[in-house]
Amino acid sequence: VGAPQALALWNDKFMLRNAEHLAALAEKASKDAAEQVRFAAKRVLLRLPTADEETAWTAYSKKHGLANLCRVLLNSSEFLFVD
């Protein structure tokens, strides 16, 4: 994905709404930040995060909000491209 396409996807209202919706589902599922991260990763990436990912993503979600982490996951190469 080129830079203009990546920015368009990053800022797309549909993606923003879905990131917020996923965050709300994760927050409903658990009050624990790490469990919320695991919930979001399972929904988006179809796998649990590695220990390092969980640590980094939990810290990111605490600093920038869970919806922003969900937005990052939805814009990740792992989600966007089939291997």
Side-chain angles (χ1 to χ4, degrees):
V1 176
Q5 293 90 350
L7 288 175
L9 186 60
W10 180 258
N11 293 313
D12 185 71
K13 288 180 183 180
F14 176 81
M15 293 296 278
L16 293 171
R17 280 193 310 271
N18 279 284
E20 291 167 354
H21 178 68
L22 178 58
L25 290 175
E27 289 167 343
K28 215 182 261 190
S30 177
K31 298 292 182 204
D32 178 64
E35 183 58 37
Q36 293 170 352
V37 167
R38 288 190 291 273
F39 179 94
K42 282 174 34 179
R43 286 284 178 105
V44 175
L45 306 177
L46 303 178
R47 66 173 179 84
L48 290 171
T50 64
D52 289 341
E53 288 171 337
E54 185 174 322
T55 300
W57 295 349
T58 300
Y60 183 91
S61 71
K62 286 180 179 179
K63 183 174 183 179
H64 300 286
L66 186 58
N68 280 322
L69 173 67
C70 292
R71 186 176 175 199
V72 169
L73 293 175
L74 290 169
N75 279 277
S76 68
S77 292
E78 188 173 346
F79 177 71
L80 295 173
F81 298 101
V82 177
D83 227 359

